[in-house]
Amino acid sequence: MPEDTEDPQDPQDAAEQEEQAAGLSYGEPFDSGFALAERHQLTPDLPAALAVYGELLAVAESFEDSPDVQLLRGHLLSDIGTVQLAATELPGAALSIGRSLDLVRGIASVPMGPNGRQLWLEVLLKTLLARAELLRRTGQFDQAQEAVDEATALLSEFCDPEGLRTAEIGLSRVHLLMDRNAWGAAEELATALLADAPLAEPYLLDCLGVVCASTVRFEQAEDYFARAEEAYLALGHHAGRQQVLSHRAYAALRAGGLDRAEELYAEAAEVFERQGQAEDLAVCEQARAAIAAHRGDAAGAAALTASSLARFQQVGAAIAAADTMLLGARHAYERGDIDEMKRLAQGARDVYQERGVYERCAQVDLMLARTLEDNLNRTDHGVHERTSLANALSLALPAALTLEAARYDFATAHARSQWLQLADEAMQLVFRLALRSNDQGLIFELVEHRCAGAALALNRPSAADKAAVFPDAAMKTYAPDDGAPLTLGGIAAEAAASVGLRVAPPPRIVMSAEAGGRTALQEYVQAAEFRYHRRIVSEEEVPFCPPTI
């Protein structure tokens, strides 16, 4: 194992400090080489970092095989894989990380001293986390979770006084939750880690900014981004600041600030192109394609979408490629190319389904339902209209229920409220389709489900309520202001006044007095829970209650 040193030199960066604190050294030229490569990564100058690691690996491979040399080679390959991940060279990273794990695991049974064992654990932990990141970025979420779990199991015997590896494991879990669109769980975990893992603070703040931007809390998102940028600046971590720049652009796009988003994405794209970060550049192109389409530049949108898709496919970023395919499907529909729209949308959905990203499956189904509604508005379906409406509802209603149910992931009232605005757009589509079908039973069940668990509230509806397309969640009646009866407000709405208080899914509404009778939206709820693997209603059952005048 590497030699133990009692009086290490002063560290020059965080990674060297950790190694020296444990009293471990590989000797020269490796100690100074590791420090130099780390400085290149923070700049960031990734080609220079790879060059340094490559030279060190060539030296290490010239040595005669031994457990010490195997560990050194594994350490270098792990660091090379990490830099390749940062440079979005995912195929190369997969080879480097795989070789590193083979070497490090190959000496697991070799007798080691206490310091040698700690270094072995350190290298194995960081390589497992790099593998988890690689698997996550290529859309293999279950395998990524297994790698994180394996790393977690090693923590019990690893000396981590500063909590660095513990923080990295927590951060990996946050990223996985975000990739699965489990925004509420990701926010809770990241917030908890801020207190417990200060070494990961800038990364966690950046993650929280993305979560808030994704759930339409833009002021909060900007606050997190500002704090993240300040923390990165204090560390001299310029690569982290570049990621914050692209995430700010994402937030501006979500908020509808197209000019600001375009400006930020163009700035970020210039940086990523200069540094050869293909995956990050593809993200910028994907967003700029959406902006171009919004402005009516069909040719520009198509070119950017094609370029983005090619880059994602080249690096093996399956989920990101599927997102670009979905964007292309929207463009194809706008051009009137229905067959191409269906092909791209189904291709994206197949990837989401395979990788277990069920909320995005729901978003694809909603998009298809909206195109059906649009087609119904544009063309006369004649005797087939009822069938077309049924098809649209079979897509839209389970998907809308799923998006609406996602708000139960959030612990705070504000987050639930903001997410509900997004879910309401989907439910508005459902109500339009139901009203068009003139299915009184379905409309009645929709209202009952949406008002589930309602309680009396001593307030009258506002004038704005008169024009509502559908009832607000857990509101029972709508009536004109003149002589209007008292409204029924929701238990969930009352609970939402208390920040941090969870809201349970609504109960099943029993529509029949008979035992085992029908519940509201029964077939659609079952379809949603089967398709999207999410609880839509609780096990509690309550009888429907007709409105009181």
Side-chain angles (χ1 to χ4, degrees):
M1 291 295 103
E3 62 192 72
D4 295 349
T5 59
E6 296 188 6
D7 186 22
Q9 297 178 351
D10 292 337
Q12 297 182 17
D13 56 50
E16 188 180 6
Q17 190 174 33
E18 294 163 31
E19 194 170 292
Q20 297 285 4
L24 301 168
S25 170
Y26 287 110
E28 291 300 335
F30 299 103
D31 291 347
S32 60
F34 275 117
L36 176 60
E38 285 285 344
R39 287 197 295 275
H40 285 317
Q41 285 176 259
L42 290 173
T43 301
D45 188 344
L46 302 182
L50 281 174
V52 172
Y53 283 131
E55 291 171 6
L56 295 176
L57 182 60
V59 174
E61 287 180 335
S62 70
F63 296 159
E64 185 176 347
D65 277 347
S66 70
D68 287 0
V69 171
Q70 246 180 285
L71 181 61
L72 173 58
R73 292 171 184 164
H75 191 161
L76 286 165
L77 283 164
S78 178
D79 285 352
I80 288 171
T82 300
V83 176
Q84 288 171 322
L85 277 174
T88 65
E89 293 181 36
L90 303 190
L95 290 173
S96 300
I97 292 167
R99 287 179 61 196
S100 174
L101 282 173
D102 288 343
L103 287 166
V104 177
R105 284 171 169 158
I107 58 172
S109 60
V110 172
M112 306 178 194
N115 284 342
R117 179 69 177 176
Q118 285 301 304
L119 180 56
W120 178 82
L121 283 167
E122 167 84 6
V123 176
L124 181 55
L125 275 168
K126 67 185 302 217
T127 310
L128 284 170
L129 290 172
R131 174 170 165 75
E133 175 70 3
L134 171 69
L135 292 167
R136 181 184 73 82
R137 301 240 312 254
T138 53
Q140 301 172 74
F141 298 144
D142 291 340
Q143 297 93 320
Q145 187 67 60
E146 289 171 6
V148 173
D149 291 342
E150 184 180 349
T152 304
L154 294 171
L155 279 178
S156 60
E157 54 178 318
F158 179 62
C159 181
D160 191 23
E162 294 184 341
L164 177 62
R165 297 303 171 205
T166 303
E168 290 178 342
I169 288 172
L171 186 62
S172 294
R173 293 189 185 281
V174 171
H175 284 149
L176 277 168
L177 289 167
M178 291 170 66
D179 282 337
R180 292 188 185 275
N181 288 1
W183 302 116
E187 183 175 13
E188 279 189 84
L189 180 55
T191 302
L193 286 170
L194 272 178
D196 299 335
L199 290 173
E201 180 187 21
Y203 308 94
L204 292 167
L205 290 169
D206 194 15
C207 286
L208 285 166
V210 173
V211 168
C212 287
S214 300
T215 52
V216 294
R217 290 173 284 161
F218 301 115
E219 289 184 6
Q220 230 176 319
E222 177 52 36
D223 177 63
Y224 281 127
F225 289 142
R227 291 168 61 192
E229 184 174 32
E230 185 178 339
Y232 280 130
L233 185 61
L235 293 173
H237 197 324
H238 301 296
R241 293 178 66 200
Q242 291 167 5
Q243 288 299 326
V244 173
L245 173 65
S246 67
H247 293 158
R248 273 193 164 120
Y250 166 74
L253 182 61
R254 295 279 295 181
L258 298 187
D259 291 341
R260 176 65 172 159
E262 188 171 38
E263 176 188 337
L264 291 173
Y265 272 123
E267 184 180 346
E270 183 181 344
V271 172
F272 295 142
E273 187 167 21
R274 186 171 63 247
Q275 295 174 352
Q277 293 173 242
E279 187 182 10
D280 293 316
L281 179 57
V283 170
C284 294
E285 289 177 334
Q286 184 188 76
R288 290 169 67 194
I291 294 170
H294 184 82
R295 289 178 169 162
D297 181 4
L304 286 164
T305 299
S307 177
S308 173
L309 180 58
R311 291 185 200 277
F312 282 134
Q313 290 176 332
Q314 183 180 10
V315 301
I319 297 295
D323 290 344
T324 304
M325 290 171 69
L326 193 57
L327 181 63
R330 293 193 182 99
H331 298 162
Y333 182 77
E334 289 164 4
R335 296 194 308 269
D337 190 344
I338 303 302
D339 290 339
E340 178 68 358
M341 182 273 290
K342 289 179 179 178
R343 183 187 71 81
L344 290 170
Q346 189 59 52
R349 197 190 191 289
D350 289 344
V351 173
Y352 297 147
Q353 183 76 33
E354 179 187 353
R355 304 303 168 92
V357 191
Y358 298 113
E359 187 193 292
R360 295 195 201 181
C361 290
Q363 290 173 347
V364 175
D365 291 343
L366 273 172
M367 189 189 82
L368 292 172
R370 286 192 181 100
T371 62
L372 283 172
E373 182 196 33
D374 186 47
N375 188 259
L376 281 164
N377 292 334
R378 293 185 183 190
T379 61
D380 182 7
H381 286 230
V383 295
H384 301 293
E385 178 163 339
R386 185 163 294 279
T387 301
S388 299
L389 278 168
N391 290 338
L393 278 165
S394 70
L395 288 168
L397 186 40
L401 290 171
T402 299
L403 291 182
E404 188 176 55
R407 75 182 190 274
Y408 305 121
D409 289 347
F410 296 104
T412 66
H414 180 60
R416 285 194 300 271
S417 174
Q418 293 299 101
W419 181 263
L420 191 57
Q421 290 182 19
L422 295 177
D424 278 351
E425 294 176 8
M427 197 56 78
Q428 285 172 4
L429 169 64
V430 170
F431 268 84
R432 288 197 304 270
L433 292 170
L435 288 168
R436 183 166 185 156
S437 71
N438 200 30
D439 186 337
Q440 299 299 314
L442 176 59
I443 295 169
F444 182 68
E445 290 189 12
L446 278 168
V447 174
E448 284 298 317
H449 171 80
R450 197 161 176 82
C451 301
L456 281 171
L458 298 179
N459 64 291
R460 296 177 181 273
S462 68
D465 292 335
K466 292 186 290 185
V469 176
F470 63 101
D472 282 345
M475 293 294 288
K476 194 74 173 181
T477 61
Y478 283 83
D481 287 337
D482 297 334
L486 295 178
T487 63
L488 290 168
I491 290 173
E494 294 168 4
S498 301
V499 174
L501 183 61
R502 286 202 174 280
V503 176
R508 301 173 190 272
I509 309 300
V510 180
M511 307 303 294
S512 170
E514 300 175 3
R518 174 181 175 78
T519 58
L521 305 179
Q522 181 174 299
E523 300 87 351
Y524 296 104
V525 168
Q526 289 171 348
E529 293 182 340
F530 175 77
R531 288 179 197 170
Y532 310 121
H533 299 251
R534 176 181 285 282
R535 173 60 64 86
I536 304 299
V537 292
S538 68
E539 294 300 323
E540 180 188 0
E541 291 189 351
V542 298
F544 88 91
C545 179
T548 55
I549 303 299

